[in-house]
Amino acid sequence: MLFLSINVFAQNGPSGLWEVNEVMVGDRNVTPTAKWFVFHEDGSLTSGNGNIENFSGFYQYDATKKELIQSNGSEPDQYGSFKTKLTNSNMTWERMEDGMKVIVQLTKVDKKPKAPWDLLQGGWIEMSDQVTNTETGISSISDLEPSRYFFMWDRAYRKFKSTGQQIETGVWHIGGHSNEIWTITNSDNTKTIWELAFENDTMIWSQKRGNELVKVYFKEDND
């Protein structure tokens, strides 16, 4: 009977789209990347990361007890309900999991948050790099041959010279709890890890090499 009382869902509940701002487990920040939840007024629940939906289930909100419990469709959440603080624009969940306090902070939003893997897909042109000595702070910037990368939705990528010749293929991966991008070449399985950031229409890859910090700048290829 837990998920059959439809009138409970619509009254004073968390209906709508919510973005996760922070998840704390004890003193550890384990906030997932671009996490969101949609609470539907019929008691159904979907959630995901960026453009990827990865959960479908149900929820029940008890406005009197201020408790929220979720279900995957067959079993309620094994850790039980969240104590919930709810306003029109903010929501906080709190409960114990394996002896540790879990606190989740959410904000009501109009659009699902974009994840790095959403922004990455498509064509990018490698334009320049910046090398900074981390001990002296001295930097140098160099123009690069404008190689072109194409990152596909299925996690494959291709790299081309400025002449259009394909020179590398492989797979890419971005973790659900980090801003790292991994590239693994098909030719010899070489794995390279970079920190990934986006600033307006620029993509930046960063990597520490000894006492140097290397940043590679890409512009979006709209051709």
Side-chain angles (χ1 to χ4, degrees):
M1 297 295 294
L2 183 62
F3 302 103
L4 297 183
S5 301
I6 300 302
N7 63 323
V8 175
F9 304 125
Q11 297 177 3
N12 303 315
S15 62
L17 172 63
W18 297 81
E19 179 179 356
V20 174
N21 299 320
E22 183 179 79
V23 178
M24 296 295 298
V25 177
D27 59 357
R28 295 186 300 117
N29 188 320
V30 294
T31 307
T33 300
K35 185 66 178 179
W36 53 266
F37 290 84
V38 178
F39 295 90
H40 303 276
E41 291 191 357
D42 65 355
S44 60
L45 167 66
T46 54
S47 71
N49 300 76
N51 287 339
I52 299 173
E53 181 180 312
N54 47 37
F55 178 82
S56 179
F58 301 94
Y59 75 97
Q60 184 179 40
Y61 177 68
D62 188 320
T64 302
K65 295 182 179 179
K66 299 187 185 304
E67 291 183 350
L68 175 72
I69 190 166
Q70 303 175 14
S71 164
N72 64 8
S74 58
E75 295 289 338
D77 191 325
Q78 63 175 324
Y79 290 107
S81 60
F82 285 100
K83 287 291 184 181
T84 304
K85 297 178 183 178
L86 177 63
T87 68
N88 289 335
S89 57
N90 294 283
M91 182 161 54
T92 302
W93 301 342
E94 185 174 325
R95 70 181 180 187
M96 298 297 294
E97 296 183 8
D98 301 324
M100 292 183 290
K101 181 181 286 188
V102 175
I103 300 175
V104 184
Q105 304 282 355
L106 306 95
T107 301
K108 200 164 192 178
V109 293
D110 296 323
K111 296 180 180 180
K112 293 176 182 178
K114 291 287 188 180
W117 50 81
D118 302 320
L119 300 173
L120 177 72
Q121 292 176 42
W124 292 88
I125 298 175
E126 188 177 30
M127 299 301 296
S128 63
D129 67 3
Q130 178 180 10
V131 180
T132 302
N133 187 303
T134 56
E135 296 176 354
T136 65
I138 298 174
S139 297
S140 62
I141 299 177
S142 303
D143 292 332
L144 298 173
E145 178 187 352
S147 301
R148 181 177 183 270
Y149 283 81
F150 191 81
F151 298 93
M152 290 168 276
W153 65 270
D154 61 358
R155 301 301 191 265
Y157 78 89
R158 299 173 183 172
K159 182 179 180 181
F160 303 86
K161 296 179 68 173
S162 58
T163 59
Q165 178 186 359
Q166 180 173 289
I167 56 176
E168 185 177 305
T169 63
V171 295
W172 62 272
H173 170 75
I174 298 174
H177 288 79
S178 75
N179 62 339
E180 290 183 345
I181 179 171
W182 304 356
T183 59
I184 304 174
T185 61
N186 288 330
S187 59
D188 56 9
N189 291 324
T190 297
K191 178 180 177 181
T192 308
I193 301 176
W194 298 82
E195 294 288 324
L196 176 64
F198 293 89
E199 295 181 3
N200 299 320
D201 59 351
T202 301
M203 178 171 66
I204 306 169
W205 291 12
S206 303
Q207 186 183 79
K208 288 186 177 180
R209 300 176 184 173
N211 65 345
E212 292 183 335
L213 175 63
V214 179
K215 292 186 176 182
V216 181
Y217 295 86
F218 300 77
K219 74 172 184 179
E220 196 165 6
D221 183 5
N222 296 313
D223 294 336

